[in-house]
Amino acid sequence: LGYYLGPHDGSSLFNQYLSLLGKEAIVCLSAGNEGNKRVYIPFDAVDDGDEMKTFVYDNPKVCGIEMHGAIDLWSGDDREFLVAMTIYDRVTKEFVYTSPFIGAMSGSASSWGISSSAIATDNDVSIPLFENGLTGAVRIYSSLNLENNRYNVYATVDVKNNQLDASGRLGRYCIGFITRAQAGMHIDAYADGSRLIFNSLGVEGFTMGISQRSISDLACGENVFVVGASNSRNTAPQVDGSVSKYGFNVGNVADFSSYGTLDDGRHLPHICAPGNMIVSSINSHYVSLLSESTLGSLAAKTTVDGKDYYWISECGTSMSSPHVALKPILL
């Protein structure tokens, strides 16, 4: 299991529940697979009105043509910060639209959005650009979180570029967010990683995301073991007789393995285990949907009582966490 968005302070109900279970049982959690993605931006405001600016960009294609995902921003306390959405034209190198700054009005929940007229709702504001250059919607939700008393802004992005830049390879219009803070405020910004990352796009004043807190939010509670992935092999057999080869160094930490230091000083993950690559069983019902050529690329096969069973080579902290969870049983 893994979920990157969230406060990363162990306050979610899921984390609270696992922390209770961890007092009675050994609970192992995958660290996450965002260790090589630009999913995090920390920001500290010095003066009132200081701004953090960044663009959201699609992952893994990184072309900005289609962007579907979410971002999650958290203040260090209950103070409100403001957020606006902006649109940058990569061809003219100008900002063609910036929304009003919105907040939660004394901590009460609020929402705001822009969209193409085709999918606009009663609470959305339609703008001409979303009818021509862009199709889709951006929606922003803000509130004071009751579990940790931290102010939170959550935004969803569901946008398709109908125009490209001069190269014909990149989306023309880029979606950005501007966060306006109060003096002394700390803000943590997270992109979901699986679909969106943070990018500066080389625009002055905009911030590139980093991976220094790429740890899964589900792994931030107390009383659990958080497991990263190490490179355990760089070859794997195939059913068709060939061998898959990978270019990483055996024994090193996998470059995708998530990591981070939390505000309370904890360094995660606690341990790394084999997770890149692992040969493991694959569900027979899933196998029945695969083509013959794909079946040949799986790692192993055996036949029992006329039924074929397959194994696959796979990577991820979802493969490494079971290694640690199994150890106490074996001991």
Side-chain angles (χ1 to χ4, degrees):
L1 297 175
Y3 183 71
Y4 184 62
L5 299 180
H8 290 73
D9 60 8
S11 65
S12 72
L13 292 176
F14 182 88
N15 279 324
Q16 291 182 50
Y17 181 59
L18 283 189
S19 294
L20 292 174
L21 290 180
K23 295 180 180 179
E24 303 181 11
I26 294 174
V27 179
C28 296
L29 285 167
S30 301
N33 301 327
E34 278 71 51
N36 54 2
K37 300 174 184 175
R38 298 184 178 276
V39 292
Y40 175 59
I41 298 176
F43 175 68
D44 290 288
V46 177
D47 300 313
D48 284 338
D50 281 356
E51 293 180 345
M52 185 272 287
K53 305 175 184 180
T54 188
F55 292 101
V56 290
Y57 217 47
D58 56 320
N59 179 72
K61 291 186 178 180
V62 196
C63 62
I65 296 176
E66 289 196 46
M67 289 167 285
H68 308 281
I71 64 172
D72 205 16
L73 287 72
W74 294 84
S75 68
D77 50 41
D78 62 353
R79 289 183 294 168
E80 175 189 73
F81 56 87
L82 304 178
V83 174
M85 190 276 294
T86 189
I87 301 176
Y88 177 74
D89 186 334
R90 205 196 302 258
V91 174
T92 65
K93 301 188 184 307
E94 297 176 338
F95 288 92
V96 294
Y97 177 81
T98 299
S99 76
F101 281 88
I102 69 156
M105 301 302 292
S106 301
S108 59
S110 65
S111 64
W112 181 89
I114 64 167
S115 69
S116 61
S117 57
I119 61 172
T121 68
D122 293 339
N123 296 323
D124 289 340
V125 178
S126 296
I127 60 174
L129 190 63
F130 264 66
E131 299 175 2
N132 302 311
L134 293 172
T135 303
V138 175
R139 294 189 174 93
I140 302 172
Y141 309 87
S142 57
S143 65
L144 183 66
N145 186 274
L146 298 179
E147 301 301 327
N148 57 19
N149 202 39
R150 294 172 65 184
Y151 185 72
N152 173 229
V153 171
Y154 182 88
T156 61
V157 179
D158 186 14
V159 168
K160 179 179 180 181
N161 254 292
N162 299 318
Q163 297 183 28
L164 303 180
D165 72 343
S167 72
R169 296 189 298 269
L170 303 174
R172 175 173 178 173
Y173 297 106
C174 307
I175 302 295
F177 289 91
I178 304 171
T179 302
R180 182 175 292 170
Q182 300 179 44
M185 178 179 286
H186 175 80
I187 296 174
D188 293 312
Y190 304 96
D192 62 32
S194 60
R195 294 173 294 180
L196 293 181
I197 56 176
F198 293 125
N199 201 310
S200 67
L201 299 179
V203 178
E204 185 178 357
F206 279 69
T207 301
M208 181 78 77
I210 59 177
S211 60
Q212 273 78 338
R213 192 183 285 185
S214 53
I215 197 75
S216 169
D217 181 70
L218 301 189
C220 291
E222 300 283 352
N223 305 322
V224 297
F225 289 103
V226 183
V227 184
S230 62
N231 297 329
S232 48
R233 61 191 301 165
N234 52 24
T235 63
Q238 292 189 180
V239 171
D240 61 14
S242 59
V243 176
S244 299
K245 297 182 179 180
Y246 311 100
F248 40 75
N249 296 321
V250 172
N252 289 358
V253 175
D255 64 351
F256 60 76
S257 187
S258 292
Y259 63 99
T261 300
L262 305 186
D263 289 340
D264 61 11
R266 282 180 292 155
H267 302 287
L268 301 176
H270 298 106
I271 192 173
C272 286
N276 188 31
M277 303 285 294
I278 300 297
V279 174
S280 184
S281 54
I282 184 172
N283 187 285
S284 296
H285 299 289
Y286 178 75
V287 167
S288 67
L289 303 175
L290 302 179
S291 65
E292 286 297 325
S293 60
T294 302
L295 291 176
S297 65
L298 298 182
K301 170 187 174 183
T302 190
T303 303
V304 178
D305 296 332
K307 182 178 180 179
D308 294 334
Y309 296 89
Y310 287 86
W311 286 257
I312 189 174
S313 60
E314 191 57 87
C315 64
T317 55
S318 290
M319 308 299 285
S320 60
S321 184
H323 277 80
V324 180
L326 186 61
K327 281 294 183 182
I329 299 174
L330 296 178
L331 293 175

